[in-house]
Amino acid sequence: MRNQVYFLTLAACGVMAQSAAAQVPCGERGEIVKMLTEKYREQPRAIAIASQTNLLEVYSSTSGSWTILVTKPRGSSCIIAAGQSWEDIPAVKELTGL
């Protein structure tokens, strides 16, 4: 899971969105989550702490749309990346004893 969060953070830094981010880049978290849920049918898929203080959330839909949302401690949220063709990958068990 730690590797997934690291990858998502790196991907979020290098990808800019077209869909949801182009329309609502920043705002009140509740309003953005409502828009992601109602308009794009996206649901929360992953959550992590980024930069020791920011909440990073990944939302995706069954149709493949996805959004990465970052919320600062004071409550402002920004969509930092979004796109299409999201696929969940089954968790891989770590090998021990190597």
Side-chain angles (χ1 to χ4, degrees):
M1 181 66 174
R2 187 179 315 157
N3 289 339
Q4 287 176 320
V5 172
Y6 178 73
F7 173 76
L8 290 173
T9 303
L10 287 177
C13 292
V15 177
M16 212 37 206
Q18 293 179 355
S19 63
Q23 297 173 16
V24 184
C26 295
E28 194 273 318
R29 184 183 176 278
E31 291 176 14
I32 294 175
V33 169
K34 182 179 178 181
M35 185 263 309
L36 293 175
T37 302
E38 293 178 359
K39 185 172 183 179
Y40 296 97
R41 305 279 188 238
E42 294 180 358
Q43 298 295 317
R45 301 291 181 215
I47 191 169
I49 302 297
S51 302
Q52 299 181 350
T53 58
N54 298 327
L55 180 66
L56 181 135
E57 299 173 272
V58 178
Y59 289 79
S60 70
S61 71
T62 57
S63 68
S65 69
W66 58 270
T67 304
I68 298 177
L69 180 67
V70 172
T71 302
K72 298 191 179 289
R74 294 186 181 231
S76 65
S77 296
C78 294
I79 295 172
I80 60 168
Q84 296 295 319
S85 301
W86 179 269
E87 292 186 34
D88 288 322
I89 298 173
V92 177
K93 293 183 180 179
E94 291 186 32
L95 299 176
T96 57
L98 294 178

